Amino acid sequence: MNIELLDSAIRRVPDFPKPGILFYDITSILTDAAAFKAVLDEMYAIYKDKDIDAIAAVESRGFIFGAPLAEKLGIPLVLIRKKGKLPGDVYTQSYALEYGTAEIEVHKADVNKGDKYLIVDDLIATGGTLDATRKLLEKAGAKATDVFGVIGLPALKYEEVLKPMKVTTLITYDGE
């Protein structure tokens, strides 16, 4: 992976979503065809020989990276959505936010009991949403074995939250 290419493609937005936070925006990767292709190629290289049955992509930016990888690997893509976005019978999992709680859902019919999942999102910060995704899959009788994020913020200690899943990121930044 050309880290310089990836780093130069990531937009930094100071004081978003609140003062003091430097936001790493992956949407600029999508407008750089070479950077986007490099990310997808690297994801494929990492997971092509892994023992995973499906990808659980987290709304909404996880969909962008999870969908092409699932297609290339020839495995199912399962969408993890915010509460109230799915029309069918769902499993629901709540998780803590900085101020309050949120909930995510998955269609019960989409998760196969016993399957091993790779969870995909764009950025891993505290790991709270990804941990909730793991719990959601476990409710369905599946197992999340790996987590992928294009960007990781290890200072927020996501690896502790996500143990024992294997966490892979393409680039990391110190700070929030």
Side-chain angles (χ1 to χ4, degrees), residues 80-125:
I80 307 301
R81 302 288 318 262
K82 294 174 185 167
K83 184 176 176 71
K85 301 283 187 178
L86 296 172
D89 196 15
V90 297
Y91 292 106
T92 303
Q93 179 65 46
S94 63
Y95 61 101
L97 296 171
E98 190 173 350
Y99 300 103
T101 61
E103 292 180 301
I104 54 173
E105 297 179 328
V106 66
H107 276 130
K108 287 182 178 181
D110 291 351
V111 182
N112 293 319
K113 187 175 184 177
D115 276 0
K116 290 175 269 193
Y117 281 79
L118 164 64
I119 301 171
V120 174
D121 207 353
D122 64 325
L123 182 140
I124 306 174

Side-chain angles (χ1 to χ4, degrees), residues 131-145:
D131 186 49
T133 300
R134 169 187 25 205
K135 291 173 182 171
L136 193 63
L137 294 168
E138 288 172 352
K139 282 182 180 181
K143 180 176 178 148
T145 58

